[in-house]
Amino acid sequence: MTQQRFMSKYMSKSATKRMPLNTKRAGKGYYKGKGGTKEGRITSKGKFVVDPLKRLELVVPDLTGFKLKPYIASTVSKFPPESRRTPGQA
């Protein structure tokens, strides 16, 4: 019977499972992210506490009486009318 080696030769397998996951310990498709804003902090117990002062606040103007629609219909042409060719043009 051979002894299996874990992540660290000084830590048990159960201890390595409790460590934070990083790109070295994860599989091939693991992606850590692009450095988003920190909206809280991690406690000494490993829990995340959200700070309401750091939360993202979106300021949206009042759009009552605004004429434009938020979406473009799928039937609208992708090319402007000036660049479109009409039948019979060279």
Side-chain angles (χ1 to χ4, degrees):
M1 185 170 153
T2 61
Q3 186 175 357
Q4 217 175 12
R5 189 160 181 209
F6 302 111
M7 182 67 192
S8 171
K9 63 181 183 179
Y10 303 110
M11 295 177 70
S12 66
K13 184 176 180 183
S14 60
T16 56
K17 286 180 180 179
R18 290 190 298 267
M19 289 176 63
L21 189 63
N22 57 18
T23 51
K24 287 189 174 190
R25 291 185 56 235
K28 186 177 179 182
Y30 180 72
Y31 179 69
K32 192 158 178 142
K34 294 199 177 208
T37 58
K38 295 171 179 66
E39 295 185 347
R41 62 183 175 85
I42 298 176
T43 63
S44 60
K45 305 280 186 188
K47 300 285 183 182
F48 186 77
V49 178
V50 177
D51 186 3
L53 297 174
K54 293 183 178 181
R55 295 293 307 259
L56 180 67
E57 183 181 340
L58 299 175
V59 179
V60 181
D62 184 27
L63 298 176
T64 53
F66 195 66
K67 301 266 189 241
L68 296 177
K69 303 281 185 196
Y71 299 105
I72 298 174
S74 59
T75 56
V76 174
S77 175
K78 294 184 181 189
F79 304 102
E82 311 81 57
S83 65
R84 277 187 262 160
R85 284 215 252 141
T86 57
Q89 272 187 333

